Amino acid sequence: MIPFETIPLPKDMPRPPETVLVNVTPQETRVAILEEQNICELHIERNREHSLVGNIYLGVVRRVLPGMQSAFIDIGLERAAFLHIMDVVEQRQNPESNQRIEHVLFEGKTVLVQVIKDPINSKGARLSTQISLAGRFLVHLPQDEHIGISQRIEGEEERNGLRERLNNLLPENACHGYIIRTSAETATDAELQADIDYLTKVWSNIKNQAKVSPPETLLYADLPLVLRVLRDMFNDNTREILVDSRMNFERMQQFAALYVQNASEKIQRFRGERPLFETYGIESEINRALQPRVNLNFGSYLIIETTEAMTTIDVNTGGFVGAKNFDETIFKTNLEACHAIARELRLRNLGGIIIIDFIDMVLPEHREAVLQELAKALSFDRTRVTLNGFTSLGLVELTRKRSRESLKHVLCEPCHVCQGRGSLKTPQTLCYEIQREIVRESRRFEVREFRIIASPKVIDLFLDEESQSLAMLIDFIGKPISLSVETEYTQEQYDIVLV
């Protein structure tokens, strides 16, 4: 049996209202997106580990590989970055031209490049020479001349109207291209003009810097996560944005006033007695998302396993026997699993090839109904997903674009004790977890001192790289904090003693 053709995802599904939680500490920013009070996305940006996607560098070609039609470019990172011929602007603008990488690049040549994919594991960053600059309503393509429109804007009349409006705003001698984003549907001419002016100025600055900067120089960095929330994630379904940092609340308000004016009234300063993520149960959800098992209703569950090559998801009935017959039990379990799977893909940020092993269904109409339900659930994903239907083995294939590291890769590291068969939270993750717990306990109890008892790696980090953040925490809670090493503790074990 040949796999079914690609299943189209519905584009007119009404999205549920969203609540955005922004948790900021000196070490990291975490953003959780809730749909109907259920967390469906988590974005983490650590000050030491910023995402590079969108950054523009003046790179230098170190090696050209004609056999692979690719090149390695130094942009000042630990590993050389990778550029394929399909990401070279000359090839992308003329896909029928069959450009050769050795005819475009040579060793030692300086070239303007943009990161389109972060380094992952042993792979270097992936680059493109086609520059794009994202604004609130537009994406600027300074090397192109055409105007594209987001595929999510479907009406032909509306697409033509937006294209005409943008053409009227551009100067007569404009030779730059743009992509009109979905958010432009409700934008005024003044807002579009402000976006054009802002993006034009950014590109002008990049070109001027490129003329005087040495190779391997960073020319442009994308916005920090607290501002990308407003640019990329805010939409008409956003009910409120809660921020627990006064400084970043003001920063977001200022950015919204300039670029996302209808967001200003929805940005709220969180002043709860308990920490923001604890109030909404996010901390426990993060820990759950690091486990392979996901419990569903009535005893059924999923098992999610990720390898270098692909992610597999197994659906099990468990103890669920609630339907009138076995076929109905299987059908109901698979239907419920569709929404859980779509949510877990977003929450864990799983990308690449994904294989789903639904419980075998005898009736063709059940299989078709499960596929349609899965397509509906996947339609809410901001990341591009391709659903390919059932294979001859009864497995469902789909692909999800890799845009950033998975949640587990960000928070965990391979377990050296079990020789890589499992994973542990990194010492850095544990340091931040301990600090959050101390803040929480300081609000509940009146004590003279806090004592942290942890493994040598965690204590060493507090004494070295995280010494400044520990000092800031001491000033914040107004209590001394002492450190004690316990060599018998595993990396994830720790105790906080109230003195």
Side-chain angles (χ1 to χ4, degrees), residues 338-355:
C338 290
H339 294 276
I341 289 169
R343 177 185 173 222
E344 293 299 322
L345 293 181
R346 296 169 65 188
L347 176 57
R348 300 172 187 235
N349 195 35
L350 302 175
I353 300 171
I354 297 159
I355 303 296

Side-chain angles (χ1 to χ4, degrees), residues 212-400:
V212 298
S213 301
E216 303 182 29
T217 297
L218 172 64
L219 303 176
Y220 169 82
D222 201 5
L223 295 172
L225 180 57
V226 289
L227 301 184
R228 295 203 307 275
V229 168
L230 297 173
R231 189 190 69 188
D232 299 336
M233 303 176 200
F234 177 81
N235 56 63
D236 292 339
N237 295 300
T238 303
R239 185 164 46 196
E240 60 180 345
I241 301 173
L242 299 178
V243 191
D244 63 3
S245 162
R246 179 186 57 79
M247 183 179 71
N248 283 280
F249 166 74
E250 294 172 353
R251 190 181 182 189
M252 292 177 74
Q253 285 283 9
Q254 292 170 0
F255 184 85
L258 291 173
Y259 301 110
V260 200
Q261 294 179 2
N262 53 341
S264 297
E265 61 186 22
K266 297 186 178 182
I267 304 172
Q268 305 292 329
R269 171 86 188 281
F270 179 77
R271 302 176 184 274
E273 294 183 1
R274 298 162 61 202
L276 175 61
F277 270 32
E278 184 182 338
T279 300
Y280 284 83
I282 305 301
E283 301 290 6
S284 59
E285 285 293 304
I286 294 173
N287 288 326
R288 181 195 60 76
L290 299 176
Q291 305 301 320
R293 176 164 173 153
V294 180
N295 292 323
L296 307 177
N297 293 328
F298 311 114
S300 54
Y301 61 93
L302 310 175
I303 296 294
I304 302 175
E305 297 287 353
T306 300
T307 67
E308 187 77 17
M310 68 179 67
T311 295
T312 60
I313 302 176
D314 187 30
V315 184
N316 297 277
T317 55
F320 180 39
V321 291
K324 295 179 181 179
N325 58 61
F326 191 57
D327 286 345
E328 283 297 315
T329 298
I330 291 173
F331 181 51
K332 289 182 180 295
T333 302
N334 285 338
L335 284 178
E336 183 191 0
C338 290
H339 294 276
I341 289 169
R343 177 185 173 222
E344 293 299 322
L345 293 181
R346 296 169 65 188
L347 176 57
R348 300 172 187 235
N349 195 35
L350 302 175
I353 300 171
I354 297 159
I355 303 296
I356 305 173
D357 185 8
F358 285 106
I359 307 167
D360 290 340
M361 292 170 284
V362 176
L363 300 176
E365 55 266 32
H366 282 178
R367 290 159 64 101
E368 182 62 26
V370 167
L371 271 182
Q372 295 305 319
E373 195 68 21
L374 182 58
K376 291 178 184 177
L378 292 171
S379 67
F380 297 134
D381 203 327
R382 301 176 206 271
T383 302
R384 188 174 71 245
V385 178
T386 303
L387 177 60
N388 294 321
F390 284 95
T391 69
S392 58
L393 296 177
L395 306 173
V396 171
E397 296 180 349
L398 63 92
T399 59
R400 187 172 185 269

